[in-house]
Amino acid sequence: MAKTIFEFDEFEDRDDINIIVNRHKLVTALYELANLRRNLYKGYTNIIVVKDNEIVFKDGRALKEYNTDNTEEYINTDDIINKIDGILEEINSLIN
């Protein structure tokens, strides 16, 4: 079994070593962010559709009948922030 030994003299070096050791967490977070971006682009999130200043589609269900003319789509900001926070939770200590 392979063994790696890190030697460092200063506290700043410790941060660099910590990033190297936890690189799998960084790669996983980047992969999840890429998937989130892809899902947003393809519309696979909870989209709110508004027509004539009334919500007609929310959280995957139609509240009223509508056609696509003069409709606007919105994404719930809190949902996106919560998803990003969940992705970055494990690596915040590495990037701050």
Side-chain angles (χ1 to χ4, degrees):
M1 185 165 164
K3 184 177 185 179
T4 304
I5 299 173
F6 297 105
E7 293 183 23
F8 49 92
D9 296 325
E10 298 180 23
F11 188 73
E12 292 83 25
D13 293 341
R14 184 175 298 191
D15 291 338
D16 293 339
I17 300 300
N18 196 21
I19 289 173
I20 292 169
V21 170
N22 292 295
R23 67 189 178 274
H24 66 284
K25 291 180 182 179
L26 293 169
V27 170
T28 300
L30 289 172
Y31 179 75
E32 288 180 24
L33 285 172
N35 281 336
L36 176 59
R37 192 251 182 238
R38 186 177 306 112
N39 289 338
L40 288 172
Y41 180 77
K42 291 183 176 185
Y44 296 154
T45 59
N46 289 333
I47 295 174
I48 298 171
V49 177
V50 176
K51 180 178 181 179
D52 299 328
N53 293 327
E54 292 185 29
I55 297 174
V56 293
F57 189 87
K58 183 177 180 181
D59 297 331
R61 62 190 164 117
L63 304 176
K64 299 179 182 180
E65 291 221 9
Y66 72 99
N67 57 26
T68 57
D69 297 338
N70 299 323
T71 60
E72 296 182 30
E73 293 182 354
Y74 298 93
I75 298 173
N76 189 340
T77 304
D78 290 337
D79 286 345
I80 302 304
I81 290 171
N82 289 337
K83 287 179 184 180
I84 291 173
D85 285 346
I87 291 169
L88 298 178
E89 185 176 353
E90 284 194 46
I91 64 167
N92 275 332
S93 63
L94 300 174
I95 59 177
N96 287 334

